[in-house]
Amino acid sequence: MTRLHVVTGKGGTGKTTVAAALALALAEEGRRTLLVEVEGRQGIAQLFETEALPYEERKIAVSHGGGEVYALAIDPEKALLDYLQMFYKLGSAGRALKKLGAIDFATTIAPGLRDVLLTGKACEAVRRKDKQGRRIYDAVVMDAPPTGRVTRFLGVNEEVAGLAKAGPVHHQAQAVMGVIKSPETAVHLVTLLEEMPVQETVDGVRELRAAGLPVGSVLVNMVRPRLPVEGLEGTPASPGLARALAGAGLSRPETLVAPLLAQAREHTERVRLERGQRAALERLGTPVHELGLLGEGVELAGLYGLSAELREQWPPTEAA
């Protein structure tokens, strides 16, 4: 049963949009999901047309099935203060460290510490329970760093656990890796049907598997409608096409022949290239789901539309 969905992808593939749509899809049937942002871009707030997210969990949407989507923008500095309070009970001393700049110093000399704090906060949300022992969130969706950095980002706790042989840091890092490498977690990769994003996806899957990290699904975003290509493989004769256009009642059909033939050739070539990219993704042996291109750009209605597409292909009962 997957509880932590890590969403990554090459820049420009719509990674944040897909993560948001997945959070909505998983919130069906009264479920509650948490959508976590770790890169500080406030992309989630923009998608849901709300004010900038604070460092607290805030309800930002309700799904069609009555479920709730909460969101959290993790701030590394505040996460470190939480960590110091949780394990060392520093309280006001932690706030004093912030004023002295010690927190910036700590994350500068130990760059991996920042990623430990970010992943740790998300994993804490996965494990959190109420007083009756029930999970607070049915699923947590993390809008993670791009594909080229995600393996190091998720694996940094293992490095930290190896460096710190004992104590709270060691145990916390071990607990986080216990969640990330468990069946509760799946790393999903967002791509486009283009050569560079697909190649980065293939490389990313290989790296994740080599690191022992759980690969989930490949989510192909911005897929254009599949138009029939029969009859377009060759070049139709211009006179015949002109007669057909004239028969349809178009005036001066001869002026339309060249542009139409050019578009037909371009479409045929694109279909051929996309077939090759689909074949490369299928060879990965992971589930592949496709999301349509939003013609009017990404807005709230489009986001709900993408979540519906995900539910049809990938029911929450299977993903959760």
Side-chain angles (χ1 to χ4, degrees):
M1 181 176 181
T2 304
R3 307 194 75 91
L4 175 59
H5 299 262
V6 180
V7 181
T8 184
K10 180 177 171 58
T13 59
K15 168 177 67 70
T16 300
T17 300
V18 173
L22 178 57
L24 277 170
L26 291 169
E28 280 298 293
E29 300 177 10
R31 293 183 177 89
R32 177 184 291 180
T33 62
L34 176 65
L35 179 57
V36 177
E37 183 175 75
V38 299
E39 294 185 281
R41 296 184 292 106
Q42 289 293 336
I44 293 171
Q46 294 174 31
L47 282 171
F48 285 94
E49 301 173 7
T50 186
E51 60 187 19
L53 297 173
Y55 180 62
E56 62 183 41
E57 291 155 28
R58 171 180 293 179
K59 186 166 75 171
I60 60 169
V62 177
S63 75
H64 290 305
E68 298 175 329
V69 177
Y70 286 72
L72 170 66
I74 302 179
D75 179 278
E77 185 177 83
K78 292 178 180 177
L80 180 55
L81 290 176
D82 283 352
Y83 179 87
L84 293 174
Q85 173 60 21
M86 183 183 303
F87 291 104
Y88 296 100
K89 310 298 181 186
L90 290 186
S92 59
R95 291 189 290 274
L97 285 173
K98 176 182 177 181
K99 291 180 180 179
L100 292 172
I103 292 174
D104 287 338
F105 177 72
T107 54
T108 300
I109 62 171
L113 177 60
R114 180 181 182 278
D115 292 346
V116 168
L117 296 168
L118 296 174
T119 54
K121 189 68 177 177
C123 290
E124 181 274 327
V126 172
R127 299 191 303 262
R128 195 188 314 156
K129 297 180 180 180
D130 62 17
K131 293 180 180 179
Q132 286 72 43
R134 297 171 300 193
R135 301 277 186 179
I136 297 294
Y137 294 107
D138 296 289
V140 175
V141 179
M142 181 196 293
D143 179 18
T147 313
R149 295 196 292 115
V150 74
T151 300
R152 178 65 189 275
F153 172 76
L154 295 174
V156 70
N157 286 276
E158 200 160 48
E159 296 180 20
V160 170
L163 292 172
K165 301 298 183 182
V169 174
H170 174 80
H171 294 305
Q172 167 71 358
Q174 276 196 324
V176 171
M177 285 311 299
V179 173
I180 290 176
K181 286 196 169 185
S182 77
E184 288 189 314
T185 298
V187 184
H188 311 299
L189 297 94
V190 181
T191 187
L192 306 179
L193 286 176
E194 298 173 5
E195 184 176 1
M196 289 185 64
V198 167
Q199 185 58 55
E200 188 160 319
T201 300
V202 171
D203 294 340
V205 169
R206 186 182 301 117
E207 291 176 4
L208 288 165
R209 286 173 172 165
L213 294 167
V215 177
S217 297
V218 171
L219 302 167
V220 184
N221 197 22
M222 304 185 208
V223 178
R224 286 173 280 194
R226 298 195 194 189
L227 301 176
V229 296
E230 288 77 9
L232 296 181
E233 298 295 342
T235 303
S238 298
L241 182 56
R243 285 193 297 272
L245 293 172
L250 298 176
S251 60
R252 300 185 63 195
E254 66 279 358
T255 63
L256 301 175
V257 170
L260 285 174
L261 289 178
Q263 287 187 23
R265 285 191 290 268
E266 180 183 340
H267 176 73
T268 302
E269 178 62 15
R270 178 167 65 83
V271 168
R272 185 185 66 80
L273 293 173
E274 289 183 350
R275 282 174 177 167
Q277 301 309 318
R278 281 192 175 93
L281 295 174
E282 289 170 1
R283 286 194 292 270
L284 291 172
T286 63
V288 178
H289 307 290
E290 296 192 0
L291 297 171
L293 175 66
L294 297 177
E296 301 298 323
V298 181
E299 56 183 16
L300 201 52
L303 200 57
Y304 275 88
L306 290 178
S307 74
E309 287 188 51
L310 276 173
R311 287 197 307 273
E312 290 175 5
Q313 303 178 58
W314 191 20
T317 51
E318 294 180 12

